[in-house]
Amino acid sequence: MELVVLHYTAMPSCAEALERLCDPLAEVSAHYLIDGDGTVLSLVDEAARAWHAGAGEWRGAGDVNSRSIGIELANTGREPFAEPQMAALERLLAGVLERHGLGPESVIAHSDMAPERKGDPGSRFDWRRLAVQGLVVWPDLTDAPPPQPSPTGGEGGAMAEMAGFLADLRAFGYPEAAPEALLTAFRLRFRPWAAGPLDDTDRALAAGVRRFAVDAPRADA
């Protein structure tokens, strides 16, 4: 395994999510499900494939199900993630990364790999908290090169700035997708309350995450 994909269940309760994840007719599964009270349910062995990711891509390769561990968090997507749940996720992630020899750049959102289809774990998920624990990456703007202003103004300048932003996202791992979908997915993870067109903060953050690009060949799943 080379990735960990984080999700929310988008269901009213953990019990309902568990029933669905265990229903063979639903054709969806995950390796782990974490309830709001911090209870961690192991549903699929880490060495086995689970059907949690669906269509998408990361680091230039598809079939994310075959090369990732899926962690579902019981949350509708409309409320903050509970403290016991986040603490349990921290413990679980630390163990998963250690067992598989993975770095924090290997932990992604469902919305990262499928920006045109998915929005989980959503704007209320605290990525910065996990970054403080060294479990996910976070852009350090003190190390990032400042975004270069476009040599041309107007529409041409905006297009050049978007092209640079998208190039940074592709280097980090994001798939090909509509620019608007990629901007939304990127903001969900790194700047969840931002709105409006691409701006200098987005561009600086994208330059910051580019340094986490993984250029080495992927490990065998």
Side-chain angles (χ1 to χ4, degrees):
M1 295 296 181
E2 58 191 82
L3 293 171
V4 181
V5 182
L6 302 184
H7 310 256
Y8 60 49
T9 58
M11 299 190 73
S13 71
C14 186
E16 290 172 87
L18 177 62
E19 182 178 2
R20 178 171 175 80
L21 289 167
C22 294
D23 181 359
L25 297 179
E27 297 185 337
V28 61
S29 57
H31 295 87
Y32 294 100
L33 171 63
I34 306 180
D35 199 351
D37 64 3
T39 301
V40 178
L41 301 172
S42 177
L43 307 180
V44 177
D45 188 273
E46 288 182 8
R49 174 183 176 136
W51 297 85
H52 63 95
E57 178 187 303
W58 191 252
R59 298 180 193 156
D63 193 14
V64 176
N65 280 325
S66 293
R67 57 194 187 97
S68 67
I69 290 171
I71 299 176
E72 292 274 0
L73 300 160
N75 186 288
T76 65
R78 298 186 297 272
E79 68 270 358
F81 291 78
E83 165 62 30
Q85 187 177 50
M86 291 299 295
L89 174 62
E90 289 173 345
R91 293 189 295 271
L92 177 60
L93 269 181
V96 168
L97 295 181
E98 181 178 8
R99 283 190 293 275
H100 295 273
L102 301 175
E105 70 281 351
S106 300
V107 182
I108 64 172
H110 199 189
S111 54
D112 289 335
M113 53 142 293
E116 295 182 313
R117 296 192 307 110
K118 296 296 181 178
D120 55 314
S123 60
R124 292 184 173 272
F125 186 75
D126 193 350
W127 288 96
R128 189 65 179 268
R129 169 176 171 154
L130 297 184
V132 170
Q133 303 297 322
L135 298 171
V136 301
V137 300
W138 193 265
D140 183 352
L141 297 188
T142 61
D143 293 338
Q148 297 301 307
S150 171
T152 59
E155 184 177 349
M159 291 176 63
E161 290 173 353
M162 177 59 79
F165 171 77
L166 297 177
D168 286 339
L169 264 58
R170 286 288 290 168
F172 179 50
Y174 282 89
E176 292 282 357
E180 297 80 4
L182 287 166
L183 176 59
T184 296
F186 183 78
R187 283 178 169 174
L188 276 174
R189 179 161 172 184
F190 295 108
R191 200 183 173 202
W193 306 118
L198 178 75
D199 61 27
D200 286 347
T201 301
D202 297 313
R203 295 169 61 215
L205 289 168
V209 299
R210 183 176 185 134
R211 70 185 184 90
F212 297 107
V214 178
D215 298 321
R218 302 191 318 276
D220 291 338

